[in-house]
Amino acid sequence: MAARLLLLSALVISPAQSILQTATIDVLLPGVPTPLTLLASQASFGPSLVSYTDGHHLSTSSSSSRPAGVGLIPSTPPSDDPFLCNDWITNKNTNNNNNNNDGEKSYNNAALLVPRGQCSFQRKALSAQRLGASAIIIYGSLSSRYALNVTNTTNDDGTSNNDAYTRNDYTMEDVIWPTDKQDYDCSNGQAFIPSNVFEKMNFVTSPGGYVDSNDEYLIGNSENNVCVKYAAANDDTSSSSSFVSSCESQRCLVTGNNVTTDGGSDGEGIKYEACCAWDFAIWLYQDATLSKEEQAEVTIPAVYITMQQATEFLDLMNGVNNNENGNGDPIVLSMYARDRPYVNSSAIIIWALGVFVAWLASYHSSGDYRSYAKAIQMKSQWMARAGGVGGAVAVASSSTRRQGGGGGGDEYVDERPPSSPGRGDGTPRSRSQSRERNAATASAASPPSENGERTIYRGGEDDAAAVIANRSVQPRHQEEESLELDASHALGFIVMASTSLLVLFYFKIFNVVKIFYAFGCSGAFAQVVLYPLLTRIFRKLRWKAPMRPMECLSEENATRAALNGGCKGKILMCLYSFFGPMTHLDVMANTIAYAVGGTWLYMAFTVLHPESHLFYWIVQDIFGACMCITFLGTIKINAIRVAAILLTVAFFYDIFFVFVTPLLTKHGESIMVNVATSGGPPKADPSWCEKYPSSEECKGGEPLPMLFAIPRIGDYQGGSSMLGLGDIVLPGLLLSFASRFDEAKRLMGLVSGGSGRVRNGGAGVSTNKSSCNICCGCGQGRYFGPVVVAYAIGLAMANAAVYLMQMGQPALLYLVPCCLGTFVVIARRNGELNDIWENPRAIRAADALLFGGTIEAEDEDDVRTSSLLMNEGAEMT
């Protein structure tokens, strides 16, 4: 029940996700029709980029070979301020935005490429804007991972020289080295650089310490990269190939750690550690040290690209600028936001799937009534063609007889001895007690052939009707065990659901739920899908052996083995007691089902974000549908009073645990959202989770599997649209009641000699279109079709609320009023509200007919009403 919340898909993408690159940069080279496309992350300050259609294009028509309005011209910062951090220099150009301080370069319609480091991202953007640039592209660099502990020198008299950024006497002790795990990870590649090679690099030059000439020693996949040349070898690979294969960025950082060795030709006994550098997209955060006026001053877009992307981009720029044979056209680029679908098609699909499963499960729950009615109709039609008398009345007399009751009333008694009490007492009843009787009547209905096999007719309608005419109309030979809910069950729901929700919230035993779901749904999958499918296949192939009972698990063999004693006898008797008679088909169906469930469970425990894998979410959705069908076929309500209590309790339960619990919990968490997302979103920063997605801090946010989930289609941000199974089965109990009530009235109308068309309380004769009746039961006076439509409307309202309010919604908030209200309004209009408030007579009569027992009219008024129902007003569809 914990996953009944209909969640916003944005909640699904939160677990251990990387920082999304939401911007696109198209780089158009001179004479090349296809642009180079780079993905970039956007800043949290300044304007957001618009979509491609309205892209961030500025008209530049300086060259006839380039169309006007294609984009921006990339440029580099002034040579005396490569990091755009010298505010006092750029401020000189506030009144002259066309040129830098040397008057050499124009930044009109330019996108400045600026390395990361030495000052904040927002300060760089502000400086670029003051130079006249139209956008800024900040790129990662190794130099940004280093810094100097800058301090001013002091004169002998104690005064400061204010030379922190200009002094040239910094030492290695003043270097602020990169941070382990945050900037680099030695497990991805490690090298030990000899001291004579290390001395060629410079880390102490003001203002940042690191100088760009170090890049030639620390970048690349050749031995020019000292980390490739001096890499520590793995057991299975050489040293150089070890670093190249394990370090994705192909860049390393000197960590500041050193080791002492015995010396050698490469060094003097000391080696310096260097490790593989991380190179991921980052968010460009605001600078809290800027004033509000300066923060608001930034009006140009800012994006970030990685070190590898920057190297590729800068190489292209240098190649074009150095190409003397070119026509002089510069590189042009366009920046825009990545496209996302305007319509979330997966949300529409999940809505349609929820409505379909609710309809299918509810329709399937009344299948016993429908099968019995079909047999009556077929026998009636055959008898009519064969000259039989009495039609449906004769059919009815073959399975029931009418006996006079006290007070002139009628009492309908099954010819077969009852094996379970009727439902007139209003107490819950299990149908498992009637299985032996049903099996016996099935044997009478379908006598065995000469070889001991049951006769399965596959001829035309006349042949089928002939078979039915030669036997009594009986219910299906195997009735599943079911439980009828009453008011106490409805009240117990709130206790059990609340307890389970609180246990999951406080003890975080979410893996237990996955285990229960996998094995529970595997059994439902075998019964709902595999068993009928394999049965149909074997019948088509006319292969009967798999459908025969296994001799070793027959009652006779199990009993004989148990009497003989020994371990084998105990095992066989235990298996027979637990499973009963089994066929090879049962074994095949369950083996396949549990193999699929085991594979699904293995992925749930071992694969990172398994919900994005096709097999995982398809199996989860199929399992969920089978569970809903099994649930509604087993758990039933037979009174609108019970449905009203159950759905009202669930209505307030949903609202309380979604909207009220944030006011009661310590950290303001919604208990429902927390449990539905396996403990809430990850605690760690997204940049950390991108590097270490399996760390404990990055776990959480994955939805519990008790729901339907469909990944968002065509959306680079990922995520899923979800619908909890509880939002199907709880309203589905009401849909199931409507379906069974309609079919029970139709069945009793056929038994009483009616035509099967609904006429209720003078509401008129309904349509006789079979397609309408089969699909939704939409005739006048029927309940199932209108309630299904109401369910679809309520679920659509819940989906709309998710996207309008941008937060998760308790779907029952919308489903309960729609479904329950529709049912009550129709019942009141039909004049049947008093009847269906408690156990309806039509359902009690149909159950007594199918499963044994009696149905009695309690007083004279009920007798007349029952007679009217059974004879006059029961022309039902």
Side-chain angles (χ1 to χ4, degrees):
M1 294 300 180
R4 288 193 294 102
L5 181 64
L6 181 66
L7 291 174
L8 179 65
S9 59
L11 294 177
V12 187
I13 66 173
S14 58
Q17 289 287 338
S18 62
I19 295 173
L20 292 174
Q21 295 171 298
T22 59
T24 300
I25 304 174
D26 282 345
V27 183
L28 185 62
L29 302 176
V32 179
T34 304
L36 168 69
T37 300
L38 302 176
L39 300 180
S41 55
Q42 295 192 61
S44 59
F45 54 84
S48 298
L49 293 173
V50 295
S51 63
Y52 178 80
T53 305
D54 304 322
H56 188 79
H57 301 316
L58 298 177
S59 179
T60 54
S61 56
S62 58
S63 174
S64 58
S65 63
R66 185 179 71 254
V70 73
L72 307 173
I73 300 174
S75 183
T76 55
S79 57
D80 53 0
D81 190 14
F83 289 90
L84 286 187
C85 291
N86 299 338
D87 289 343
W88 65 275
I89 295 178
T90 53
N91 278 334
K92 290 182 179 179
N93 299 290
T94 301
N95 297 323
N96 184 11
N97 288 336
N98 293 330
N99 300 294
N100 67 353
N101 59 315
D102 297 326
E104 297 175 351
K105 185 185 297 184
S106 172
Y107 291 104
N108 273 339
N109 303 326
L112 279 180
L113 275 78
V114 184
R116 175 187 179 188
Q118 297 196 15
C119 66
S120 68
F121 303 122
Q122 194 166 5
R123 192 174 295 276
K124 292 176 184 288
L126 187 58
S127 299
Q129 180 176 307
R130 291 172 176 172
L131 283 172
S134 299
I136 181 172
I137 303 174
I138 302 174
Y139 60 88
S141 64
L142 295 180
S143 62
S144 65
R145 304 296 84 209
Y146 296 87
L148 288 175
N149 187 16
V150 292
T151 56
N152 295 322
T153 57
T154 305
N155 297 322
D156 294 338
D157 58 1
T159 59
S160 175
N161 286 324
N162 196 26
D163 58 352
Y165 291 96
T166 57
R167 52 182 289 204
N168 55 7
D169 57 347
Y170 287 108
T171 65
M172 297 295 290
E173 295 180 355
D174 297 315
V175 177
I176 301 175
W177 299 96
T179 305
D180 186 21
K181 299 295 188 294
Q182 190 68 40
D183 299 320
Y184 64 88
D185 191 333
C186 294
S187 63
N188 294 334
Q190 185 181 36
F192 293 97
I193 305 172
S195 58
N196 61 336
V197 177
F198 174 78
E199 290 172 356
K200 297 178 182 179
M201 293 181 279
N202 186 348
F203 297 92
V204 295
T205 298
S206 179
Y210 185 100
V211 296
D212 291 340
S213 60
N214 294 341
D215 286 351
E216 63 181 286
Y217 297 101
L218 301 174
I219 296 177
N221 55 13
S222 67
E223 292 199 355
N224 292 331
N225 184 344
V226 295
C227 291
V228 176
K229 185 175 182 180
Y230 299 105
N234 291 331
D235 295 337
D236 300 329
T237 58
S238 64
S239 59
S240 58
S241 61
S242 171
F243 183 86
V244 172
S245 61
S246 61
C247 184
E248 184 178 353
S249 69
Q250 304 297 297
R251 288 161 172 78
C252 60
L253 291 168
V254 179
T255 66
N257 301 321
N258 57 64
V259 296
T260 303
T261 64
D262 295 333
S265 60
D266 288 337
E268 300 175 354
I270 297 179
K271 290 188 177 182
Y272 295 86
E273 182 187 55
C275 296
C276 179
W278 289 115
D279 186 23
F280 289 112
I282 63 172
W283 277 330
L284 304 183
Y285 296 102
Q286 285 186 329
D287 185 353
T289 64
L290 292 175
S291 65
K292 292 183 179 180
E293 292 76 13
E294 288 176 314
Q295 290 181 356
E297 188 179 344
V298 178
T299 58
I300 63 173
V303 298
Y304 177 89
I305 59 176
T306 63
M307 290 187 282
Q308 290 178 300
Q309 290 175 317
T311 299
E312 184 179 11
F313 196 174
L314 292 172
D315 288 345
L316 289 175
M317 287 182 60
N318 294 332
V320 171
N321 293 335
N322 296 330
N323 184 9
E324 296 181 356
N325 297 326
N327 57 10
D329 285 346
I331 295 177
V332 178
L333 58 88
S334 295
M335 299 166 55
Y336 51 90
R338 295 176 67 180
D339 288 333
R340 297 186 65 192
Y342 290 104
V343 178
N344 183 7
S345 55
S346 63
I348 299 175
I349 296 174
I350 205 75
W351 169 83
L353 177 63
V355 174
F356 173 75
V357 171
W359 168 82
L360 179 63
S362 304
Y363 183 81
H364 183 269
S365 67
S366 60
D368 47 4
Y369 298 157
R370 211 160 25 252
S371 298
Y372 201 97
K374 182 178 179 181
I376 292 175
Q377 287 180 312
M378 293 179 67
K379 183 171 183 178
S380 175
Q381 292 170 4
W382 185 88
M383 292 180 67
R385 286 194 295 269
V389 180
V393 177
V395 177
S397 64
S398 69
S399 52
T400 63
R401 68 176 182 270
R402 181 172 299 180
Q403 297 179 348
D410 292 333
E411 181 180 333
Y412 297 89
V413 185
D414 198 331
E415 287 183 343
R416 295 158 294 174
S419 61
S420 61
R423 299 190 181 184
D425 56 359
T427 58
R429 187 194 70 186
S430 172
R431 293 178 182 168
S432 59
Q433 299 174 352
S434 62
R435 282 188 175 180
E436 296 181 0
R437 174 184 54 76
N438 289 338
T441 57
S443 299
S446 179
S449 59
E450 294 179 359
N451 59 3
E453 295 293 332
R454 295 289 175 205
T455 302
I456 302 174
Y457 59 86
R458 285 291 179 268
E461 184 177 339
D462 290 342
D463 296 334
V467 173
I468 294 175
N470 292 323
R471 68 171 190 231
S472 298
V473 178
Q474 301 291 349
R476 293 183 301 177
H477 71 277
Q478 184 177 1
E479 172 62 26
E480 296 182 355
E481 185 174 353
S482 64
L483 174 67
E484 179 187 336
L485 298 183
D486 60 14
S488 62
H489 294 102
L491 295 176
F493 160 79
I494 188 67
V495 177
M496 296 300 297
S498 301
T499 301
S500 62
L501 201 60
L502 293 174
V503 168
L504 290 172
F505 179 73
Y506 286 108
F507 294 98
K508 311 297 182 185
I509 51 174
F510 304 114
N511 287 337
V512 175
V513 177
K514 296 179 181 179
I515 295 173
F516 285 165
Y517 185 86
F519 287 100
C521 291
S522 294
F525 178 56
Q527 292 299 318
V528 175
V529 176
L530 294 179
Y531 190 87
L533 178 63
L534 293 176
T535 299
R536 181 176 292 272
I537 291 175
F538 290 141
R539 285 176 176 173
K540 287 288 186 182
L541 297 176
R542 301 183 181 276
W543 187 19
K544 300 179 181 180
M547 293 182 283
R548 294 193 181 103
M550 300 173 63
E551 294 185 3
C552 62
L553 285 181
S554 66
E555 182 178 8
E556 180 181 355
N557 289 340
T559 303
R560 184 184 303 113
L563 292 175
N564 293 335
C567 182
K568 178 181 178 181
K570 294 181 180 179
I571 293 176
L572 286 178
M573 197 62 193
C574 181
L575 290 174
Y576 177 79
S577 301
F578 187 77
F579 294 107
M582 292 185 63
T583 66
H584 295 87
L585 186 61
D586 294 323
V587 176
M588 294 174 61
N590 283 281
T591 300
I592 295 173
Y594 283 96
V596 173
T599 304
W600 180 91
L601 187 62
Y602 175 79
M603 292 185 64
F605 285 150
T606 60
V607 177
L608 185 65
H609 306 311
E611 65 275 3
S612 61
H613 293 263
L614 182 67
F615 171 84
Y616 185 88
W617 66 264
I618 286 182
V619 169
Q620 177 173 311
D621 290 351
I622 294 175
F623 275 13
C626 294
M627 180 59 70
C628 291
I629 293 173
T630 303
F631 182 91
L632 293 181
T634 305
I635 309 297
K636 299 177 180 179
I637 55 176
N638 281 340
I640 197 67
R641 178 178 64 89
V642 178
I645 295 174
L646 176 63
L647 294 179
T648 302
V649 167
F651 176 82
F652 288 106
Y653 163 87
D654 236 6
I655 294 175
F656 176 80
F657 279 102
V658 174
F659 294 133
V660 179
T661 53
L663 306 177
L664 305 177
T665 53
K666 182 178 180 180
H667 301 290
E669 294 179 288
S670 168
I671 292 181
M672 182 75 80
V673 174
N674 181 279
V675 172
T677 56
S678 301
K683 307 299 187 295
D685 184 85
S687 60
W688 176 268
C689 292
E690 184 171 19
K691 300 165 188 172
Y692 306 101
S694 60
S695 64
E696 193 66 29
E697 297 83 1
C698 296
K699 294 181 179 179
E702 297 180 359
L704 284 181
M706 298 183 298
L707 45 77
F708 290 134
I710 296 180
R712 299 192 62 167
I713 300 172
D715 192 340
Y716 70 91
Q717 292 190 4
S720 300
S721 296
M722 302 185 297
L723 177 63
L725 299 185
D727 296 327
I728 294 176
V729 297
L730 287 179
L733 289 171
L734 185 63
L735 271 64
S736 172
F737 174 56
S739 176
R740 290 184 299 107
F741 184 48
D742 286 348
E743 293 298 336
K745 291 196 297 181
R746 174 174 177 263
L747 172 61
M748 299 313 298
L750 290 170
V751 167
S752 301
S755 65
R757 292 202 307 260
V758 174
R759 186 194 305 269
N760 283 305
V765 179
S766 70
T767 177
N768 195 31
K769 295 180 180 179
S770 59
S771 61
C772 177
N773 297 330
I774 292 175
C775 294
C776 61
C778 51
Q780 287 182 336
R782 295 180 68 90
Y783 294 85
F784 184 49
V787 176
V788 169
V789 173
Y791 177 84
I793 294 173
L795 191 59
M797 292 170 60
N799 275 280
V802 166
Y803 293 99
L804 292 176
M805 300 182 185
Q806 291 294 299
M807 62 180 296
Q809 296 291 312
L812 292 183
L813 177 64
Y814 307 91
L815 292 174
V816 171
C818 288
C819 296
L820 189 58
T822 300
F823 201 110
V824 171
V825 168
I826 296 176
R828 186 174 180 83
R829 187 193 65 182
N830 294 340
E832 296 177 324
L833 185 58
N834 291 334
D835 181 44
I836 66 172
W837 185 252
E838 297 294 343
N839 294 339
R841 286 182 300 278
I843 290 182
R844 284 183 289 166
D847 286 349
L849 179 65
L850 267 69
F851 311 117
T854 64
I855 176 170
E856 299 180 358
E858 298 179 359
D859 53 42
E860 186 174 350
D861 292 337
D862 280 349
V863 169
R864 288 194 295 268
T865 306
S866 179
S867 179
L868 176 65
L869 170 66
M870 308 299 286
N871 296 299
E872 299 176 5
E875 293 189 359
M876 298 177 243
T877 317

